[in-house]
């Protein structure tokens, strides 16, 4: 830019110098011509005054007389009618009538006149001056007038020297002007690079031109706007990044070419992908065929597609939707939301198993009751058989009632439908009461039941604590051997309150110990049903313990028997 401005400015100065030189030459030539006209007209008048009225005997004598004037001047005597009477340079008889010559016309009108034109008779550029004589004739004097170059030649060397000096000075001025114009423009251009970061700060007073000062002020304003916009975008981006990173759900945004625009860490975890994925094809994140087919189906149908994804921790469900909003810049892309459904699917499967088990468990006592009732209705039974059948019906009804009660309780515990109110109680006292109430059952089964509990203030639901302890005690008594023993203890430990219920019955095999807390799971199904168990007692214990963040574990060996331990954490224990 600087070179171009310099060249243009130098060219303009050269043209200006040439134009000035041409105008000066023309003015000089015009001045010389006017001076020549004045001198020639004055000479013509003097000559006319001295020649006017002199007797001339013949044209030849007149020609001779005019020729003696000399001095490079041409004298012509023209009659009143325009006929050439005599000429000092040419044969008058061969010359045409001069009545229409410009200088003759002017002399006829004003007594004198001048003209500048090429001569037809001698072929030179002549300056003419004519004066009207008293006789009516015209005396015309002319001389050759050199051209512009001839007149300007003496001053040409000085003019060229002046032009050279002026040109050099002009080049220096052009360079300084180019520097003064381009330097601030370069500075402004450099500052524009800072506008994208919003960090351009210019001092308008440093620039020499008002337009550049205005431009600097505009750049400062624009940089400020860009800076504020960048800060706003950065805040929005940080907010979006925070939301996406905090989501437990996976989120992906794909463009129309299925390239990843956004992907949070949860989505990477569900897809088993690692590293940065932005800008890459979704194939870099997963090769799951069902997932990729769901993407294609969503783009083809424009609807929403659901697909299951298996990952290390369980099962996730991906919801794939087509972006339809106009003006977002992502029209034709895909939005994918991935949700962990492991718990939901497990709960669904558990509900199915629960209802299947509950139906099976209820079917047995109902079938038994129906059978004995049919026998009683058919008659033919004696009084002893009737009492036996009635006792069995009553037993099965009690078993079914207990089963239904446990089903209702565990359903309410799982759904959170019933929340038992907590109170400040002595957990040791609750345990001692439960142990006392269980003594009759222990006596009937030939089991010795012992209880050792410390006083333990605790905030809990009395109903839930009784259900937990009673289920553990009833199992310890019912699944014990004849003449065996069971024990309940409540102690304080470093981890909180420790409740233990032990028995000397048959040990629980290791392969069953992790499943005994499942609903309707029995180690010995025939013995459990014979004892009237519902298969829900330990599941209820597990649910109640989880509500108080308590840990439940079982240890069972042939030598030590079976011990159930429930540890209540310190944060739920008062005054320990």
């Amino acid at each position: 830019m600087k070179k171009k401005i310099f060249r243009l400015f130098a060219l303009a100065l050269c043209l200006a110098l040439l134009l000035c030189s041409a105008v000066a030459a023309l003015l000089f030539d015009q001045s010389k011509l006017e001076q020549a006209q004045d001198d020639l007209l004055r000479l013509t008048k003097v000559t006319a005054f001295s020649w006017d009225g002199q007797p001339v005997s013949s044209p030849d004598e007149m020609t001779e007389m005019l020729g003696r004037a000399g001095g490079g001047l041409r004298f012509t005597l023209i009659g009143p009618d325009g006929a050439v009477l005599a000429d000092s340079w040419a044969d008058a008889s061969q010359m045409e009538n001069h009545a229409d010559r410009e200088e003759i016309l002017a002399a006829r009108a004003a007594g004198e006149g001048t003209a500048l034109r090429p001569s037809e008779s001698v072929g030179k550029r002549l300056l003419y001056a004519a004066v009207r004589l008293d006789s009516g004739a015209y005396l015309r004097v002319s001389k050759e007038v050199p051209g512009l170059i001839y007149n300007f030649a003496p001053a040409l060397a000085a003019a060229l020297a002046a032009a050279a000096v002026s040109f050099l000075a002009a080049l220096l001025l052009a360079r300084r002007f180019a520097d003064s114009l381009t330097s601030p423009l370069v500075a402004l251009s450099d500052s524009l690079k800072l506008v994208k970061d919003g960090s351009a700060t210019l001092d308008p007073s440093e620039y020499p031109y008002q337009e550049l000062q205005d431009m600097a002020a505009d750049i400062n304003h624009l940089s400020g706007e860009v800076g504020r916009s960048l800060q706003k975008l950065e805040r929005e981006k940080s907010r979006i990044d925070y939301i996406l990173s905090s989501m437990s759900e996976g989120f992906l945004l794909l463009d129309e070419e299925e390239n990843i625009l956004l992907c949070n860490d949860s989505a990477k975890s569900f897809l088993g992908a690692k590293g940065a994925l932005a800008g890459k094809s979704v194939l870099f994140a997963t090769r799951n065929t069902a997932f990729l087919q769901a993407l294609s189906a969503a783009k083809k149908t424009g609807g929403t597609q659901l697909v299951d994804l298996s990952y290390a921790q369980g099962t996730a469900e991906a919801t794939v939707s087509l972006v339809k909003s106009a003006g977002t810049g992502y029209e034709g892309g895909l939005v994918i939301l991935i949700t962990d459904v492991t718990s939901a699917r497990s709960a669904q499967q558990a509900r199915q198993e629960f209802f299947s088990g509950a139906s099976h468990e209820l079917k047995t006592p109902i079938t038994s009751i129906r059978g004995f009732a049919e026998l009683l209705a058919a008659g033919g039974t004696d009084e002893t058989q009737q009492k036996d059948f009635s006792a069995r019906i009553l037993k099965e009804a009690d078993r079914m009632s207990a089963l239904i009660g446990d089903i209702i309780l565990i359903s309410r515990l799982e759904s959170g439908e019933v929340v038992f109110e907590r109170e400040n109680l002595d957990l040791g006292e609750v345990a001692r009461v439960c142990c006392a109430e269980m003594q009759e059952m222990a006596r009937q089964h030939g089991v010795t039941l012992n209880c050792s509990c410390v006083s333990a203030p605790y905030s809990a639901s009395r109903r839930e604590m009784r259900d937990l302890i009673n289920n553990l005690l009833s199992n310890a008594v019912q699944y014990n051997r004849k003449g065996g023993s069971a024990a309940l203890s409540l102690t304080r430990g470093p981890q909180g309150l420790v409740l233990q219920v032990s028995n000397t019955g048959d040990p629980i095999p290791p392969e069953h110990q992790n499943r005994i807390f499942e609903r309707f799971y029995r180690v010995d199904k025939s013995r459990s049903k014979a004892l009237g168990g519902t298969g829900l007692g330990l599941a209820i214990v597990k649910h109640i313990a989880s509500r108080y963040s308590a840990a439940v574990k079982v240890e069972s060996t042939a030598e030590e028997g079976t011990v159930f331990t429930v540890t209540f954490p310190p944060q739920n224990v008062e005054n320990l």
Side-chain angles (χ1 to χ4, degrees), residues 286-297 305-309 318 320:
T286 181
R287 298 297 178 93
N288 187 298
T289 303
F291 180 75
L292 297 176
Q293 289 176 347
L295 300 184
S296 300
Q305 300 292 321
L306 300 177
V307 61
D308 284 348
L309 301 173
V320 184

Side-chain angles (χ1 to χ4, degrees), residues 8 55 209 229 268 307 351 381 393 443 461 467 491 516 530:
L8 291 176
Y209 306 108
S229 298
K268 293 179 183 179
V307 61
R351 283 194 296 271
T381 57
I393 290 173
R443 187 187 63 78
S461 165
D467 287 340
T491 60
I516 58 176

Side-chain angles (χ1 to χ4, degrees), residues 2 173-185 208-209 212:
K2 179 179 178 180
L173 291 174
R175 182 176 295 277
R176 293 191 62 182
F177 175 75
D179 289 339
S180 67
L181 184 61
T182 57
S183 296
L185 288 177
Y209 306 108
L212 297 180

Side-chain angles (χ1 to χ4, degrees), residues 483-511:
S485 64
L488 181 149
S489 67
L490 180 65
T491 60
R492 295 189 182 97
Q495 297 179 340
L497 291 177
V498 180
L499 175 71
Q500 286 187 327
V501 177
S502 61
N503 68 77
T504 58
D506 295 333
I508 302 173
E511 64 270 19

Side-chain angles (χ1 to χ4, degrees), residues 295-411:
L295 300 184
S296 300
K299 293 179 68 175
K300 188 177 297 182
T301 63
T304 299
Q305 300 292 321
L306 300 177
V307 61
D308 284 348
L309 301 173
S310 296
Y311 73 108
Q313 286 75 34
T315 303
E317 183 181 70
T319 303
V320 184
S321 303
L322 184 68
V323 178
K324 300 179 181 179
S325 301
T328 61
Y330 301 123
E331 188 170 0
L334 295 170
V335 174
I336 304 162
L337 188 66
I338 306 176
T339 308
D340 187 352
V341 294
T342 304
S343 299
R345 297 291 170 82
S346 299
Q348 181 180 2
Q349 182 178 359
R351 283 194 296 271
Q352 292 174 350
E353 294 176 353
F354 174 77
F355 287 117
S356 176
S359 300
H360 180 74
E361 293 295 332
L362 288 172
K363 184 178 180 179
T364 301
I366 290 174
T367 301
S368 180
I369 290 172
R370 182 176 180 178
F372 289 125
E374 288 176 350
L375 290 174
L376 289 174
T381 57
D382 56 24
E383 184 177 353
T384 302
Q385 289 177 324
Q386 290 178 1
K387 289 183 178 180
D388 181 54
F389 291 163
S390 297
R392 292 187 179 185
I393 290 173
L394 181 60
K395 181 180 179 182
E396 293 296 336
D398 289 340
R399 179 186 170 194
M400 187 168 61
S401 176
L403 178 60
I404 293 173
D406 284 349
I407 290 173
I408 293 174
L409 176 61
I410 197 169
S411 297

